Amino acid sequence: MQGAGTPFNKDPLELAVEDVYDISHQLGCQFREVNSSQSSTAVFELQFQIVRVLEMFETLVSQSSVSLEELRRERDGLKAEAETLIGELRSKATDPVQEQNIGADKFIMNLEDPNCPRFTLQELSEVLHERNHLKAQLLTTRAAIQCYQSATITQAEEGDGEPHPNDGSG
């Protein structure tokens, strides 16, 4: 009942989900055949397939155990390497600011770095607000100057042709 292309003949690490369903179907058919015939050949075939499935499980478990052990060794190696690097960094730390335990609400600024921010967001917001206020005042002043200039030019054109801005007699 087992052909060369059946999932029972595959390497357990190459099995797919479909293969598991095929194995289940084949075992189910075998059980039905054993129940109906009570033949020793059917029992022997079923026994062989069950042993093969158990061997597959054994291979999978041993492979995953090896992988797990490899991962543990790699983790331990990385942990040791990280501790070594941390130790080296601590031994090289000469700046007293770096040796202090700085809280989450503190900010360390590198004054030598031209790209390092030197203002808080609140300070930047205040500067932008003040700039916008001054810009509005500038526009208002320019508009007032423009109105004053056009009024002076209009008066000059209506009068004797020459403007008299400092003349109080009109």
Side-chain angles (χ1 to χ4, degrees):
M1 185 150 232
Q2 258 180 288
T6 65
F8 287 103
N9 296 329
K10 287 187 176 180
D11 181 6
L13 299 176
E14 295 176 1
L15 287 176
V17 174
E18 293 83 20
D19 296 327
V20 174
Y21 291 136
D22 288 344
I23 290 171
S24 174
H25 175 74
Q26 288 179 8
L27 288 175
C29 290
Q30 289 281 329
F31 277 120
R32 273 189 243 109
E33 187 177 318
V34 166
N35 283 337
S36 66
S37 70
Q38 299 289 327
S39 74
S40 61
T41 308
V43 171
F44 178 75
E45 275 290 318
L46 182 60
Q47 179 182 0
F48 178 77
Q49 288 183 352
I50 290 173
V51 168
R52 179 65 182 134
V53 169
L54 292 174
E55 288 171 349
M56 289 178 177
F57 287 151
E58 179 184 17
T59 303
L60 290 172
V61 168
S62 65
Q63 180 65 31
S64 66
S65 295
V66 169
S67 297
L68 185 61
E69 188 57 37
E70 288 174 359
L71 288 173
R72 284 186 181 138
R73 280 195 301 264
E74 186 176 346
R75 179 202 62 198
D76 293 342
L78 289 173
K79 191 184 284 186
E81 186 178 341
E83 289 172 358
T84 303
L85 289 173
I86 289 171
E88 289 175 8
L89 287 174
R90 286 186 180 153
S91 66
K92 290 181 182 178
T94 56
D95 188 4
V97 173
Q98 289 179 345
E99 293 176 5
Q100 296 175 355
N101 185 10
I102 309 238
D105 61 339
K106 302 296 183 202
F107 178 71
I108 296 177
M109 168 167 73
N110 182 358
L111 296 176
E112 296 172 5
D113 182 8
N115 296 323
C116 183
R118 290 176 173 73
F119 297 101
T120 65
L121 290 177
Q122 178 63 35
E123 290 171 330
L124 287 175
S125 175
E126 290 171 5
V127 168
L128 286 173
H129 180 69
E130 183 179 355
R131 181 198 70 138
N132 290 339
H133 179 70
L134 291 172
K135 191 173 182 180
Q137 284 181 338
L138 175 66
L139 292 174
T140 303
T141 304
R142 282 185 181 167
I145 289 172
Q146 200 170 26
C147 286
Y148 176 72
Q149 286 176 341
S150 35
T152 305
I153 291 172
T154 306
Q155 284 179 352
E157 289 173 354
E158 288 177 1
D160 59 356
E162 289 192 31
H164 302 286
N166 292 332
D167 188 11
S169 61

